Amino acid sequence: MNRWLKRGAFALCGLVATGAAALVLGAQLGERKMQRQVALQVGPVALPGDDAGLARGKYLYLSRGCTECHGVDGGGKDVVNDGKGMWVRAPNITPAPGSAVERYTVADWVRTVRHGVKPDGRPAIVMPSEDYNRLTDADLGALIAWLRQMPAATGGPAVIEFPLPVKALYAAGVIHDAAEIIDHALPPSQPVPEAPTAAHGAYVANACIGCHGAGLSGGRIPGAPPEWPAAANLTPGDASAMAHYADAGAFVRMLRSGRRPDGSAISRVMPFESLQALNDTDAQALYLHLKGLAPRAAGNR
């Protein structure tokens, strides 16, 4: 009996050692993937030179999720720091001396924001460029114009620290960066009239893709800390979050307050700092688009 116990213990130790070695190898492959070169040719977009264009760029910065990572002042802040090996800090993206973007050209901004690729060709890890890939050229130009003239803020470089399992999952393709899932050959969106319509809402909803998936049916957010809740199903399918909102007014009040009509609080993982900045036209249009989507099963990203 003792002989079999010893053999079992040796076998178990072997399995643990093999698993640990595979995890370390996966993490090394993940590190290598982060350093890969993404071949990409981009051209600059036209930047507005008037106050209206800068105002549009500022509105997009405040309302499309940028502040959730970079802060209202653009200086950057911790996105995740769980004390367990995962630390993601967004960089200072103001034109302050020594900032990550101090020497960015317009083409560098296009490459990073629209395609998730740094000027040196490496992927911009964690940057949710899938949310911004579909910006029209006019809106992207307005956003870049605002970023290039923001007041200098205090802040440091990006910090990207992942635990070994996350790096291994990234290497295996379970977790993706934006650069590998974006169709870089897809032309920019064409402008649609800004109005409380489902067509305009579809454009606004592009800012929701990073968390809720391309199909907006939610599910676990790839690469997110395990304690984060799954993103809600925004389609009219099973377990739809939209069932709480009988009309656009109720939906807009939720965006402004962070609470459902019954008063219950929604997870603060939702980017309410940005959602509160959506104007009524964009918020109502988003509601109409979401209510008109084809039902999808929850989590069918």
Side-chain angles (χ1 to χ4, degrees):
M1 184 65 178
N2 288 339
R3 181 186 305 171
W4 287 108
L5 288 174
K6 289 179 180 179
R7 289 179 178 176
F10 283 133
L12 179 60
C13 289
L15 289 173
V16 170
T18 301
L23 188 61
V24 171
L25 176 60
Q28 292 173 342
L29 293 175
E31 289 280 2
R32 185 181 301 176
K33 183 178 177 181
M34 292 179 191
Q35 302 302 320
R36 77 187 190 279
Q37 290 290 305
V38 181
L40 188 66
Q41 294 293 323
V42 301
V45 298
L47 304 190
D50 57 357
D51 290 342
L54 285 177
R56 175 66 178 172
K58 180 180 181 180
Y59 169 69
L60 291 169
Y61 179 79
L62 295 175
S63 66
R64 295 305 195 265
C66 307
T67 60
E68 302 295 331
C69 295
H70 298 283
V72 172
D73 68 353
K77 59 184 181 180
D78 281 2
V79 180
V80 178
N81 190 352
D82 64 4
K84 304 173 184 177
M86 179 174 283
W87 182 18
V88 176
R89 181 173 178 82
N92 184 350
I93 56 170
T94 71
S99 78
V101 301
E102 180 186 10
R103 294 183 173 84
Y104 266 34
T105 66
V106 174
D108 290 336
W109 278 112
V110 174
R111 184 178 292 106
T112 303
V113 175
R114 177 172 277 168
H115 297 281
V117 180
K118 297 178 181 179
D120 64 4
R122 291 179 298 150
I125 306 297
V126 182
M127 171 69 185
S129 292
E130 63 270 37
D131 291 359
Y132 307 107
N133 177 259
R134 306 306 304 137
L135 285 174
T136 64
D137 278 347
D139 273 351
L140 182 57
L143 177 59
I144 293 171
W146 170 252
L147 292 168
R148 284 165 61 92
Q149 63 82 64
M150 286 182 74
T154 301
V159 175
I160 305 292
E161 295 183 4
F162 293 147
L164 294 183
V166 172
K167 290 180 182 179
L169 290 172
Y170 174 63
V174 177
I175 298 172
H176 305 279
D177 58 59
E180 62 183 315
I181 61 176
I182 288 173
D183 180 355
H184 300 289
L186 197 65
S189 295
Q190 293 302 303
V192 296
E194 291 179 37
T197 62
H200 178 55
Y203 180 65
V204 177
N206 285 313
C208 308
I209 290 173
C211 290
H212 294 275
L216 299 179
S217 59
R220 299 297 305 180
I221 303 171
E227 65 269 19
W228 281 22
N233 185 1
L234 300 183
T235 78
D238 64 302
S240 172
M242 298 305 295
H244 295 286
Y245 311 107
D247 54 40
F251 181 75
V252 173
R253 286 191 292 274
M254 176 273 295
L255 298 180
R256 304 281 184 258
S257 67
R259 293 185 175 276
R260 302 178 184 88
D262 64 4
S264 59
I266 297 174
S267 169
R268 300 308 299 179
V269 169
M270 278 278 284
F272 283 112
E273 184 174 48
S274 296
L275 294 173
Q276 289 167 356
L278 280 176
N279 61 34
D280 286 345
T281 297
D282 283 358
Q284 292 168 11
L286 178 60
Y287 173 81
L288 292 173
H289 170 63
L290 296 178
K291 293 294 278 190
L293 288 172
R296 295 174 69 105
N300 182 17
R301 301 176 67 85

